[in-house]
mmCIF file of all heavy atoms in Angstrom:
data_model
loop_
_atom_site.group_PDB
_atom_site.id
_atom_site.type_symbol
_atom_site.label_atom_id
_atom_site.label_comp_id
_atom_site.label_asym_id
_atom_site.label_seq_id
_atom_site.Cartn_x
_atom_site.Cartn_y
_atom_site.Cartn_z
ATOM 1 N N ALA F 3 97.785 157.208 95.114
ATOM 2 C CA ALA F 3 97.121 155.937 95.372
ATOM 3 C C ALA F 3 97.195 155.055 94.172
ATOM 4 O O ALA F 3 97.282 155.508 93.096
ATOM 5 C CB ALA F 3 95.652 156.170 95.805
ATOM 6 N N MET F 6 93.774 150.018 89.775
ATOM 7 C CA MET F 6 93.829 149.108 88.682
ATOM 8 C C MET F 6 92.747 149.406 87.681
ATOM 9 O O MET F 6 91.580 149.556 88.012
ATOM 10 C CB MET F 6 93.746 147.648 89.237
ATOM 11 C CG MET F 6 93.979 146.579 88.158
ATOM 12 S SD MET F 6 93.905 144.899 88.707
ATOM 13 C CE MET F 6 95.317 144.844 89.870
ATOM 14 N N ARG F 13 98.151 151.603 87.921
ATOM 15 C CA ARG F 13 98.706 152.960 87.866
ATOM 16 C C ARG F 13 98.698 153.547 89.271
ATOM 17 O O ARG F 13 97.835 153.280 90.061
ATOM 18 C CB ARG F 13 97.929 153.827 86.896
ATOM 19 C CG ARG F 13 97.601 153.289 85.565
ATOM 20 C CD ARG F 13 96.671 154.125 84.750
ATOM 21 N NE ARG F 13 95.983 153.398 83.635
ATOM 22 C CZ ARG F 13 95.061 153.887 82.860
ATOM 23 N NH1 ARG F 13 94.660 155.172 83.099
ATOM 24 N NH2 ARG F 13 94.514 153.155 81.954
ATOM 25 N N VAL F 30 94.459 157.601 108.722
ATOM 26 C CA VAL F 30 95.755 156.973 109.002
ATOM 27 C C VAL F 30 96.669 157.274 107.767
ATOM 28 O O VAL F 30 96.310 157.010 106.598
ATOM 29 C CB VAL F 30 95.617 155.430 109.051
ATOM 30 C CG1 VAL F 30 96.975 154.787 109.148
ATOM 31 C CG2 VAL F 30 94.811 155.019 110.334
ATOM 32 N N GLY F 69 87.813 160.726 114.704
ATOM 33 C CA GLY F 69 86.424 161.310 114.910
ATOM 34 C C GLY F 69 86.227 161.487 116.401
ATOM 35 O O GLY F 69 86.857 160.974 117.311
ATOM 36 N N ALA F 83 96.270 147.775 110.554
ATOM 37 C CA ALA F 83 94.917 147.712 109.958
ATOM 38 C C ALA F 83 94.583 146.335 109.420
ATOM 39 O O ALA F 83 95.265 146.028 108.380
ATOM 40 C CB ALA F 83 94.743 148.769 108.946
ATOM 41 N N THR F 91 81.990 144.998 118.271
ATOM 42 C CA THR F 91 80.953 144.919 119.288
ATOM 43 C C THR F 91 79.792 143.975 118.895
ATOM 44 O O THR F 91 79.109 143.494 119.752
ATOM 45 C CB THR F 91 80.425 146.264 119.620
ATOM 46 O OG1 THR F 91 79.778 146.856 118.382
ATOM 47 C CG2 THR F 91 81.497 147.210 120.158
ATOM 48 N N GLU F 97 82.477 136.860 118.655
ATOM 49 C CA GLU F 97 82.701 135.394 118.511
ATOM 50 C C GLU F 97 84.021 135.228 117.697
ATOM 51 O O GLU F 97 84.481 134.086 117.336
ATOM 52 C CB GLU F 97 81.588 134.764 117.709
ATOM 53 C CG GLU F 97 80.290 134.686 118.538
ATOM 54 C CD GLU F 97 79.122 134.319 117.654
ATOM 55 O OE1 GLU F 97 79.294 133.967 116.448
ATOM 56 O OE2 GLU F 97 77.991 134.357 118.142
ATOM 57 N N ARG F 115 88.362 153.383 100.538
ATOM 58 C CA ARG F 115 89.406 153.157 99.609
ATOM 59 C C ARG F 115 90.464 152.168 100.130
ATOM 60 O O ARG F 115 90.381 151.690 101.237
ATOM 61 C CB ARG F 115 90.102 154.521 99.252
ATOM 62 C CG ARG F 115 89.170 155.559 98.648
ATOM 63 C CD ARG F 115 88.595 155.127 97.257
ATOM 64 N NE ARG F 115 87.389 154.302 97.428
ATOM 65 C CZ ARG F 115 86.933 153.527 96.400
ATOM 66 N NH1 ARG F 115 87.469 153.559 95.203
ATOM 67 N NH2 ARG F 115 85.827 152.776 96.605
ATOM 68 N N VAL F 122 94.580 156.575 104.392
ATOM 69 C CA VAL F 122 93.299 155.803 104.270
ATOM 70 C C VAL F 122 92.319 156.356 105.382
ATOM 71 O O VAL F 122 92.788 156.581 106.506
ATOM 72 C CB VAL F 122 93.555 154.336 104.500
ATOM 73 C CG1 VAL F 122 92.260 153.576 104.454
ATOM 74 C CG2 VAL F 122 94.576 153.840 103.494
ATOM 75 N N ASP F 128 87.741 152.145 116.330
ATOM 76 C CA ASP F 128 87.959 151.502 117.623
ATOM 77 C C ASP F 128 87.984 149.960 117.405
ATOM 78 O O ASP F 128 88.702 149.256 118.154
ATOM 79 C CB ASP F 128 86.872 151.920 118.579
ATOM 80 C CG ASP F 128 87.175 153.294 119.293
ATOM 81 O OD1 ASP F 128 88.359 153.581 119.423
ATOM 82 O OD2 ASP F 128 86.194 153.959 119.603
ATOM 83 N N LEU F 147 103.340 144.385 109.668
ATOM 84 C CA LEU F 147 102.529 144.473 108.482
ATOM 85 C C LEU F 147 101.896 143.068 108.149
ATOM 86 O O LEU F 147 100.769 142.993 107.718
ATOM 87 C CB LEU F 147 103.311 145.013 107.303
ATOM 88 C CG LEU F 147 102.496 145.129 105.975
ATOM 89 C CD1 LEU F 147 101.228 145.908 106.135
ATOM 90 C CD2 LEU F 147 103.461 145.696 104.917
ATOM 91 N N LYS F 162 91.790 126.591 112.183
ATOM 92 C CA LYS F 162 90.562 125.931 111.750
ATOM 93 C C LYS F 162 90.751 124.468 111.502
ATOM 94 O O LYS F 162 89.789 123.665 111.575
ATOM 95 C CB LYS F 162 90.115 126.651 110.424
ATOM 96 C CG LYS F 162 89.613 128.041 110.633
ATOM 97 C CD LYS F 162 88.254 128.091 111.396
ATOM 98 C CE LYS F 162 87.077 127.636 110.522
ATOM 99 N NZ LYS F 162 85.827 127.747 111.256
ATOM 100 N N THR F 172 100.324 118.963 105.686
ATOM 101 C CA THR F 172 100.824 119.314 104.328
ATOM 102 C C THR F 172 100.387 120.741 104.078
ATOM 103 O O THR F 172 99.200 121.054 104.231
ATOM 104 C CB THR F 172 100.336 118.360 103.267
ATOM 105 O OG1 THR F 172 100.811 117.042 103.492
ATOM 106 C CG2 THR F 172 100.836 118.862 101.897
ATOM 107 N N LEU F 181 103.680 129.989 103.449
ATOM 108 C CA LEU F 181 104.837 130.046 104.391
ATOM 109 C C LEU F 181 104.342 130.409 105.791
ATOM 110 O O LEU F 181 104.878 129.871 106.786
ATOM 111 C CB LEU F 181 105.918 130.973 103.919
ATOM 112 C CG LEU F 181 106.589 130.599 102.595
ATOM 113 C CD1 LEU F 181 107.596 131.704 102.183
ATOM 114 C CD2 LEU F 181 107.232 129.257 102.685
ATOM 115 N N GLY F 183 101.446 129.645 106.874
ATOM 116 C CA GLY F 183 100.807 128.403 107.310
ATOM 117 C C GLY F 183 101.776 127.437 107.936
ATOM 118 O O GLY F 183 101.556 126.821 108.911
ATOM 119 N N GLY F 191 102.585 123.258 117.199
ATOM 120 C CA GLY F 191 103.133 121.959 117.612
ATOM 121 C C GLY F 191 103.198 120.860 116.633
ATOM 122 O O GLY F 191 103.628 119.789 116.973
ATOM 123 N N LEU F 197 105.946 120.812 102.993
ATOM 124 C CA LEU F 197 105.645 121.968 102.163
ATOM 125 C C LEU F 197 105.703 121.622 100.639
ATOM 126 O O LEU F 197 106.722 121.098 100.240
ATOM 127 C CB LEU F 197 106.620 123.103 102.486
ATOM 128 C CG LEU F 197 106.575 124.316 101.566
ATOM 129 C CD1 LEU F 197 105.128 125.007 101.678
ATOM 130 C CD2 LEU F 197 107.667 125.361 101.993
ATOM 131 N N THR F 205 110.958 127.750 99.458
ATOM 132 C CA THR F 205 110.912 126.527 100.243
ATOM 133 C C THR F 205 112.025 126.468 101.277
ATOM 134 O O THR F 205 111.893 125.959 102.360
ATOM 135 C CB THR F 205 110.916 125.289 99.382
ATOM 136 O OG1 THR F 205 112.044 125.264 98.512
ATOM 137 C CG2 THR F 205 109.633 125.213 98.534
ATOM 138 N N ALA F 226 101.701 111.432 94.905
ATOM 139 C CA ALA F 226 102.360 110.230 95.131
ATOM 140 C C ALA F 226 103.562 110.414 96.035
ATOM 141 O O ALA F 226 103.805 109.605 96.898
ATOM 142 C CB ALA F 226 102.826 109.639 93.761
ATOM 143 N N PRO F 248 93.606 122.966 90.675
ATOM 144 C CA PRO F 248 94.594 121.903 90.865
ATOM 145 C C PRO F 248 95.165 121.764 92.315
ATOM 146 O O PRO F 248 95.401 120.673 92.738
ATOM 147 C CB PRO F 248 95.681 122.354 89.877
ATOM 148 C CG PRO F 248 95.041 123.131 88.845
ATOM 149 C CD PRO F 248 93.924 123.849 89.525
ATOM 150 N N VAL F 262 91.543 116.891 107.715
ATOM 151 C CA VAL F 262 90.946 118.195 107.511
ATOM 152 C C VAL F 262 91.655 118.900 106.358
ATOM 153 O O VAL F 262 92.917 118.985 106.365
ATOM 154 C CB VAL F 262 91.010 119.088 108.727
ATOM 155 C CG1 VAL F 262 90.396 120.481 108.505
ATOM 156 C CG2 VAL F 262 90.381 118.395 109.947
ATOM 157 N N SER F 264 91.997 122.674 105.014
ATOM 158 C CA SER F 264 91.700 124.056 105.381
ATOM 159 C C SER F 264 92.119 124.952 104.219
ATOM 160 O O SER F 264 93.282 125.091 103.967
ATOM 161 C CB SER F 264 92.500 124.399 106.685
ATOM 162 O OG SER F 264 92.189 125.641 107.169
ATOM 163 N N VAL F 276 82.791 117.726 96.392
ATOM 164 C CA VAL F 276 82.480 117.696 97.827
ATOM 165 C C VAL F 276 81.601 116.483 98.112
ATOM 166 O O VAL F 276 81.032 116.380 99.265
ATOM 167 C CB VAL F 276 81.765 118.951 98.295
ATOM 168 C CG1 VAL F 276 82.705 120.130 98.179
ATOM 169 C CG2 VAL F 276 80.477 119.174 97.484
ATOM 170 N N ARG F 295 91.842 140.283 112.542
ATOM 171 C CA ARG F 295 91.679 141.140 113.775
ATOM 172 C C ARG F 295 91.636 140.223 114.967
ATOM 173 O O ARG F 295 92.143 140.607 116.087
ATOM 174 C CB ARG F 295 90.442 141.989 113.686
ATOM 175 C CG ARG F 295 90.236 142.902 114.882
ATOM 176 C CD ARG F 295 91.374 143.894 115.047
ATOM 177 N NE ARG F 295 91.218 144.672 116.278
ATOM 178 C CZ ARG F 295 91.608 144.323 117.490
ATOM 179 N NH1 ARG F 295 92.100 143.097 117.668
ATOM 180 N NH2 ARG F 295 91.473 145.131 118.507
ATOM 181 N N ALA F 304 105.006 137.691 120.228
ATOM 182 C CA ALA F 304 106.162 137.029 119.753
ATOM 183 C C ALA F 304 106.818 137.822 118.599
ATOM 184 O O ALA F 304 108.054 137.707 118.410
ATOM 185 C CB ALA F 304 105.821 135.607 119.143
ATOM 186 N N PRO F 326 103.234 149.561 90.099
ATOM 187 C CA PRO F 326 103.057 148.743 88.907
ATOM 188 C C PRO F 326 104.235 147.657 88.738
ATOM 189 O O PRO F 326 103.965 146.561 88.375
ATOM 190 C CB PRO F 326 103.070 149.734 87.709
ATOM 191 C CG PRO F 326 102.521 150.953 88.364
ATOM 192 C CD PRO F 326 103.091 150.982 89.678
ATOM 193 N N LEU F 338 108.646 137.286 96.117
ATOM 194 C CA LEU F 338 107.727 136.515 96.939
ATOM 195 C C LEU F 338 106.587 137.446 97.365
ATOM 196 O O LEU F 338 105.406 137.170 97.195
ATOM 197 C CB LEU F 338 108.419 135.896 98.123
ATOM 198 C CG LEU F 338 107.559 135.389 99.292
ATOM 199 C CD1 LEU F 338 106.570 134.286 98.720
ATOM 200 C CD2 LEU F 338 108.448 134.846 100.408
#
Side-chain angles (χ1 to χ4, degrees):
M6 189 178 293
R13 311 174 200 174
V30 174
T91 60
E97 293 167 9
R115 302 294 84 197
V122 179
D128 279 331
L147 179 56
K162 291 291 287 184
T172 297
L181 296 179
L197 174 59
T205 57
V262 180
S264 187
V276 294
R295 180 63 184 82
L338 167 58

